[in-house]
Amino acid sequence: MRKAILVIMIMLAACSVFAGGSSEKKDGPVTITYYGRPDVELEREIIASFEAENPGIKVNYVELPSSSNDRLKTIQTVLQSQGTEMDVFAGDACWPAIFISAGWVEPLDDYITPEVRGGYIDTMLSAYTVNGRTYGLPFMADVCALYYRDDLLSKYGLTVPQTYDEILEYSKIIMEGEADPNLYGWGYIGVQNETLACCFLSIYWALGGPDMVNEDGEFTFDYGIAEKALELMRSYSFGEGISPAAIGSFDTTTLRNNVMAGNIVFDTDWLSGYAKYNGDSSSVKGSMKIAALPTNGAIGGWGLMVSAYSEHKEAAAKFALYRSSYESQMKALEMVDQVPTLNVFYDPETVPAGYEYLVDFLAPLSVARPRGITPFYAAISSRIQIEASAVICDMKTPAEAVKDLEAGINSVIG
Amino acid sequence: MKRRKEVRGYLLLAPAALLICVLILIPTIETIYCSFFNYRTQMAALGMKFIGLENYVKVFSDSFFWDTFWWTIVFTAVTVALELVIGMLLALLMTKKIPGQGLIRAVVLVPWAMPAIVAGIIWSQIFAYNGFINNLLSALPFVQENYPWLGNESSAKVAVMIADIWKNTPYMSLLLLSGLLTINKEYYEAATIDGAGRWRQFWSITVPLVRPTMMVTILFRIISAMRVYDLIVAMTNGGPGGSTTTVSMYAISTYFTYGNIGYGSALSVMLLLVSVVISLFFVDSLKSRVR
């Protein structure tokens, strides 16, 4: 018995020696830890070329989980414990406010030259900018855009709609003209998730809705306009019938399958829809064009941020700059179709060969608007998702939904 | 000698006790502790502010909490009851000596062995607008349009319950089977000689003898059904209109996604309290039977 205990104790001691070994510092290269998106091959290649260019820095890559919520949990857990084990990380465009207000991320203004700053599409950088300071460098762009059936618009002599009223009007003309019971005017992702909130916000902005929070940090969300936006969504499904009555059960796959089957004239979707709609399995290949949503579309995409608890901030910022450089973004475009954030990719003169379609992305990207630069965004958005879903699934009237929305949001920010 | 034996007993228990302390007890105590504070990641710089029972007062007046609470109770009651009935039928079938018995017992376990998130994705595709069920129904002459199964409150609720029953019945039936196999066959033989019918035998022999196993199984299932999370997240993400959001989903998003650690902890503690009350009731009823 004694022997057994002794063996266990020796094993425990051995474990602690190994665990402690890694924290001992030696002279030599600085090692930074990067929590990156799980595009393993791409990230490893970028890291290898970064390390080749910067022999003094080693990058330890930690894969983030596959779902966005789990990624936030992972990053938040490290930052909350003020952990030094994460130096630089990839973050969603709607998270910076959470980290900035908590003081968890480092401003990067000292590390970026005006040329570097000017290279980014303004709107993409705006998601990471609070009170004039930049806390992140976007490396992957995204925005909610308006897709349209170019063939049908030209058939009826219509132009790209500039307002939601025009979407309604043109949809009716085309639906009447085509007389196809499977054809709908306007589609979007209606299941209760973040994209539904983005779609709602685009309508809210188009109806004149102000930002959620103004420059002084006051909450300025307009519930009256929110109600009008919900009314619009509801009437397009139930009164006017240009959206399917079942839109509330449309997830990304369902929406995209219906667009690809040629059942939808206009639709609100992220940039990633473009390749699907114009892919080989799509019956509308070549005629599904992209434009800016009326007024504004919600910003998406990912950027790099440096932890305030990092012990190697300079090296971390250097890596962030490299990961968002032209070279890395080109690699990301080639390997995993990541949409770049630099102006140079969208200029007809400088767009890389084979990626000419990117030029059409510039219009939606230049009207991209941050969803809400408030640390409470995640909670507010989840309330919007619930109420918008309730309205388009015919569970509540817009007036009831807005009442619940206000109560819900007040309980979150109060 | 006796003392030495006791010491050895404690020593052998120590690793498990330590594990339970580190992995369960400490986080539970910390959650209860946090629930008395106003603590948000958005205001991490301000630290934690003690507010007593304020979070709990807020829980009681939070109408969304009550929506999620009653839905969790209904979900648990319906799924566990149906899992018990179907599980018992399956278990009784599996006691029959038929060719391929081992294979059947193994195959039945597949849904249970599948990660809940995968099961959720499969079922969301089955119930999707262009999914399997709508495709099947569209073959019927009187069905004109696809039905939004997951876009309607009642059908979405039924859909997630069906998915849960599909996933967890095997667990129930396998545990019940283990209970059934311990019953001595002589009881049935004696009952048959006495002229008792099948139905009578089931209620007078099978049910009382399998009861301890059954109670434990039901308890396990109730506790895990009350914590249901990934299956529903994958199927409906709590929609439509928040109607399939369970207490644990609400607590987890409040704690992690909204960064409201104090209130999220209070919501978790509420769920814990309900689970503890139910467990105590079951443990108590087990004890009285054993006596």
Side-chain angles (χ1 to χ4, degrees):
Chain A
M1 190 62 217
R2 288 250 169 100
K3 258 187 202 161
I5 295 171
L6 203 69
V7 168
I8 291 172
M9 283 175 71
I10 290 171
M11 279 167 69
L12 282 173
C15 287
S16 63
V17 166
F18 281 118
S22 61
S23 66
E24 261 172 52
K25 282 201 188 103
K26 289 178 203 143
D27 291 336
V30 168
T31 301
I32 56 168
T33 303
Y34 162 51
Y35 282 48
R37 287 172 57 91
D39 304 308
V40 183
E41 251 176 77
L42 167 72
E43 298 292 348
R44 287 204 196 288
E45 236 178 72
I46 291 176
I47 289 167
S49 47
F50 173 77
E51 286 176 341
E53 266 182 39
N54 299 274
I57 307 173
K58 287 255 164 280
V59 181
N60 175 20
Y61 164 56
V62 177
E63 256 178 81
L64 285 170
S66 59
S67 101
S68 187
N69 265 341
D70 289 341
R71 289 176 193 167
L72 177 59
K73 261 188 245 169
T74 308
I75 293 168
Q76 220 164 15
T77 310
V78 178
L79 291 173
Q80 209 150 34
S81 62
Q82 316 198 340
T84 54
E85 68 265 37
M86 178 175 77
D87 297 284
V88 52
F89 61 93
D92 188 295
C94 66
W95 299 345
I98 308 172
F99 303 145
I100 295 166
S101 71
W104 288 341
V105 283
E106 195 64 11
L108 299 174
D109 303 86
D110 294 346
Y111 305 101
I112 18 182
T113 60
E115 293 84 65
V116 170
R117 190 184 290 275
Y120 294 106
I121 300 173
D122 280 343
T123 51
M124 290 299 118
L125 203 56
S126 73
Y128 304 90
T129 307
V130 171
N131 295 331
R133 308 205 75 176
T134 304
Y135 293 85
L137 299 173
F139 64 89
M140 171 182 166
D142 209 350
V143 63
C144 273
L146 178 71
Y147 290 90
Y148 61 93
R149 284 277 297 275
D150 194 38
D151 53 335
L152 289 175
L153 285 194
S154 13
K155 183 174 169 187
Y156 293 90
L158 301 167
T159 52
V160 180
Q162 302 297 317
T163 62
Y164 285 92
D165 286 342
E166 283 179 3
I167 290 183
L168 175 66
E169 190 190 326
Y170 298 176
S171 294
K172 281 181 158 173
I173 295 173
I174 294 171
M175 283 169 74
E176 256 166 53
E178 295 293 303
D180 173 356
N182 289 323
L183 185 71
Y184 284 97
W186 180 47
Y188 53 92
I189 292 161
V191 290
Q192 184 187 313
N193 69 16
E194 180 61 30
T195 306
L196 176 62
C198 292
C199 181
F200 163 85
L201 283 173
S202 310
I203 301 166
Y204 164 86
W205 292 326
L207 298 176
D211 284 329
M212 273 182 199
V213 173
N214 68 10
E215 278 172 8
D216 301 324
E218 288 157 344
F219 190 72
T220 46
F221 188 74
D222 188 320
Y223 290 102
I225 295 174
E227 187 177 338
K228 286 197 187 113
L230 290 175
E231 263 161 19
L232 184 149
M233 293 171 93
R234 182 189 165 88
S235 71
Y236 281 15
S237 281
F238 298 112
E240 312 285 0
I242 64 157
S243 301
I247 197 80
S249 68
F250 273 40
D251 56 8
T252 309
T253 317
T254 307
L255 174 75
R256 289 183 178 174
N257 284 342
N258 277 287
V259 172
M260 292 193 304
N263 292 339
I264 287 173
V265 183
F266 302 108
D267 92 301
T268 300
D269 195 354
W270 298 100
L271 293 179
S272 53
Y274 188 87
K276 299 257 177 209
Y277 297 155
N278 292 295
D280 287 331
S281 59
S282 169
S283 69
V284 290
K285 184 182 176 182
S287 50
M288 207 65 197
K289 293 275 166 63
I290 186 170
L293 276 171
T295 315
N296 294 115
I299 283 193
W302 286 72
L304 289 135
M305 287 175 263
V306 172
S307 161
Y309 306 109
S310 162
E311 285 168 342
H312 309 288
K313 293 192 181 97
E314 209 177 321
K318 211 169 197 176
F319 178 74
L321 273 166
Y322 186 82
R323 178 63 189 83
S324 56
S325 66
Y326 180 85
E327 200 186 348
S328 304
Q329 293 203 25
M330 190 62 219
K331 209 171 265 172
L333 177 63
E334 284 170 351
M335 287 177 70
V336 294
D337 278 327
Q338 256 174 29
V339 182
T341 59
L342 300 169
N343 284 310
V344 61
F345 283 95
Y346 298 92
D347 188 325
E349 307 268 301
T350 49
V351 62
Y355 296 97
E356 286 77 11
Y357 64 86
L358 283 178
V359 175
D360 293 336
F361 286 7
L362 189 59
L365 282 171
S366 16
V367 296
R369 184 162 165 176
R371 294 171 229 174
I373 300 194
T374 152
F376 300 108
Y377 176 74
I380 295 172
S381 155
S382 85
R383 292 298 172 147
I384 292 177
Q385 293 164 32
I386 289 172
E387 301 308 333
S389 162
V391 167
I392 59 174
C393 292
D394 206 18
M395 291 160 62
K396 284 181 192 172
T397 67
E400 287 164 352
V402 157
K403 219 179 111 220
D404 292 347
L405 181 64
E406 188 165 3
I409 290 180
N410 284 339
S411 86
V412 168
I413 60 176
Chain B
M1 188 61 207
K2 197 182 166 207
R3 240 202 79 133
R4 246 189 97 163
K5 239 185 175 169
E6 248 173 43
V7 170
R8 193 189 293 178
Y10 283 118
L11 268 177
L12 287 172
L13 267 180
L18 194 75
L19 217 62
I20 289 175
C21 265
V22 171
L23 296 178
I24 297 173
L25 210 59
I26 294 175
T28 308
I29 292 170
E30 200 176 319
T31 305
I32 296 172
Y33 176 77
C34 284
S35 71
F36 297 114
F37 288 83
N38 183 6
Y39 182 26
R40 292 180 180 209
T41 54
Q42 291 93 345
M43 303 170 190
L46 299 177
M48 297 166 73
K49 189 172 154 243
F50 182 77
I51 50 166
L53 290 173
E54 219 171 277
N55 280 327
Y56 291 94
V57 174
K58 197 175 156 190
V59 168
F60 278 95
S61 59
D62 181 347
S63 65
F64 190 62
F65 165 76
W66 288 110
D67 290 348
T68 62
F69 179 80
W70 290 119
W71 158 238
T72 307
I73 298 288
V74 168
F75 174 85
T76 305
V78 173
T79 55
V80 176
L82 288 173
E83 281 160 21
L84 177 65
V85 173
I86 303 170
M88 182 60 102
L89 285 172
L90 276 176
L92 287 170
L93 278 176
M94 282 192 283
T95 54
K96 298 273 172 283
K97 283 250 179 307
I98 44 169
Q101 192 187 40
L103 186 72
I104 292 172
R105 285 183 191 171
V107 168
V108 162
L109 262 184
V110 169
W112 180 69
M114 191 181 280
I117 203 113
V118 176
I121 291 169
I122 292 173
W123 280 96
S124 75
Q125 292 315 306
I126 290 176
F127 283 110
Y129 183 72
N130 299 110
F132 176 73
I133 292 185
N134 276 333
N135 284 343
L136 213 63
L137 289 177
S138 65
L140 300 174
F142 52 87
V143 176
Q144 294 292 324
E145 250 180 275
N146 286 0
Y147 188 77
W149 297 103
L150 298 177
N152 174 294
E153 183 175 351
S154 347
S155 59
K157 283 181 167 175
V158 171
V160 295
M161 290 196 280
I162 289 175
D164 189 80
I165 292 168
W166 174 83
K167 174 142 183 38
N168 288 311
T169 302
Y171 173 80
M172 193 75 120
S173 71
L174 235 78
L175 286 193
L176 290 175
L177 177 66
S178 72
L180 289 177
L181 292 177
T182 61
I183 300 174
N184 196 332
K185 292 225 164 43
E186 287 168 12
Y187 294 134
Y188 294 104
E189 284 158 14
T192 313
I193 290 164
D194 288 344
R198 287 256 164 179
W199 190 243
R200 184 66 203 268
Q201 286 180 19
F202 176 74
W203 285 109
S204 303
I205 301 171
T206 313
V207 170
L209 288 177
V210 85
R211 200 186 129 105
T213 319
M214 198 161 79
M215 292 305 257
V216 172
T217 314
I218 294 174
L219 176 63
F220 283 176
R221 275 300 305 138
I222 288 181
I223 291 176
S224 83
M226 292 201 45
R227 297 184 308 206
V228 61
Y229 178 78
D230 5 15
L231 185 79
I232 301 186
V233 168
M235 271 184 85
T236 64
N237 193 24
S243 58
T244 56
T245 308
T246 57
V247 178
S248 58
M249 288 165 72
Y250 186 38
I252 287 170
S253 31
T254 305
Y255 190 105
F256 288 104
T257 316
Y258 316 162
N260 195 340
I261 291 168
Y263 193 54
S265 299
L267 290 168
S268 309
V269 172
M270 290 299 291
L271 189 63
L272 176 74
L273 285 179
V274 178
S275 302
V276 166
V277 168
I278 294 176
S279 310
L280 284 179
F281 166 77
F282 270 87
V283 171
D284 201 52
S285 80
L286 266 179
K287 260 191 207 154
S288 59
R289 273 284 145 170
V290 172
R291 256 184 239 135

